[in-house]
Structure formats: C-alpha cells, structure tokens
Amino acid sequence: MTPPAFQRRTRYLLGLTVCWVFFALLKLYDDYDGFTSVMGAPIVATVLTVLVFPVVVLLGQGLRFHALGRCWYGNPKVAVLLLTVCLVLLLYGESMGLTQTVYEEVDEVTRSRLPAVVSIPAFLGFLFAVTYWPGRQVGESRRKESGKLK
C-alpha cells in the first residue's frame, strides 16, 4: 500500500518529466541551429516547465470536487478521450486545417503554424491527462485487501 503523498509525488514527477522532455525536443526541432540548440534545450525546457506545470497542478485541484473527481477517476474512458483528442490536435492540427500564418521578422519568412488558441489548451490537457491518469485509489485498495471489494 502506497501512501497518498507518495502517489501525488509520483504523478507530479511523471508530469514534470513528460513536460520537460516535450519542451526539450520542441526546442531541438524548432529552428535547430546545431550545438547552440543542444546546449540551450535543457535550459529552455526547465524554464518553460517551471512556468507551465503549476497551471496543470492548479487544473488538477478541480478533481477535489466530488462530481469531477468521481467522473475522472471512475471512468478511465474520459482520460483516454482527453489524451487522444489532445494528441490528435497537437500532432495533426495543422493538417486538419487549424493553421495561423505567422511572419518571422528574423528569417523574413511567412510560416503556417498551429494557433495558440488550439495548441496551449491541447498541451495543458495532454499534461493533465498524463499527470492525473486514473489509477486505483488508496481507499479502494484498502477495501480490496480486506475483501470487501470484489
């Protein structure tokens, strides 16, 4: 039996790791400029993780409301749906036509990107689903060990 604080720390560590890896890979992918990007990726990923992950933790506080928590933890299909929708938007949003034209003054190039109105909520939803993935609750495991839950 694992204590709730340990479960919370494990969830946060997993969410932080996924967030950091995502930002580090994004820095290497976006306008890769050799060794400078390799050196800067961990720094940028750390700063962005520190800025973004507290928002995910605040969103997770909504699960303390009985109805939301019961819906989220009681039915893993909700988490699977959220994770799937967010990943589809992040990976295939541009090919589905969700684009925004951006003029980059440094390169003097016009590029098409996923708009922030779509990408930021999709990324936060993805991190939320990974961090608060429904698993067996502590109270449920106690009842199962005592034989009251079949």
Side-chain angles (χ1 to χ4, degrees):
M1 180 173 73
T2 57
F6 182 75
Q7 287 178 343
R8 223 178 3 258
R9 276 185 249 147
T10 306
R11 287 175 184 264
Y12 293 161
L13 183 61
L14 174 66
L16 283 168
T17 304
V18 168
C19 186
W20 189 88
V21 167
F22 185 85
F23 281 132
L25 292 176
L26 190 62
K27 171 65 177 144
L28 291 176
Y29 171 76
D30 191 36
D31 297 329
Y32 181 75
D33 58 351
F35 188 68
T36 310
S37 283
V38 172
M39 285 178 19
I43 297 166
V44 170
T46 302
V47 170
L48 290 175
T49 299
V50 166
L51 293 174
V52 168
F53 197 72
V55 175
V56 174
V57 173
L58 286 175
L59 288 173
Q61 296 303 310
L63 295 177
R64 291 182 178 224
F65 293 112
H66 185 67
L68 290 175
R70 189 177 59 209
C71 178
W72 180 259
Y73 290 117
N75 190 1
K77 292 177 184 176
V78 176
V80 171
L81 179 67
L82 178 66
L83 188 70
T84 305
V85 167
C86 291
L87 279 177
V88 166
L89 283 174
L90 288 171
L91 296 175
Y92 302 110
E94 288 183 50
S95 61
M96 292 186 317
L98 300 171
T99 58
Q100 174 184 15
T101 305
V102 178
Y103 178 73
E104 293 186 9
E105 295 175 4
V106 176
D107 299 335
E108 296 181 358
V109 177
T110 303
R111 296 186 186 192
S112 177
R113 300 234 168 132
L114 194 63
V117 173
V118 175
S119 61
I120 292 173
F123 181 66
L124 289 175
F126 168 74
L127 273 180
F128 177 84
V130 168
T131 304
Y132 294 100
W133 190 259
R136 200 166 79 175
Q137 298 297 310
V138 175
E140 182 179 322
S141 63
R142 286 184 192 154
R143 285 192 306 260
K144 193 169 190 177
E145 288 172 2
S146 68
K148 294 180 183 175
L149 185 67
K150 294 180 183 179

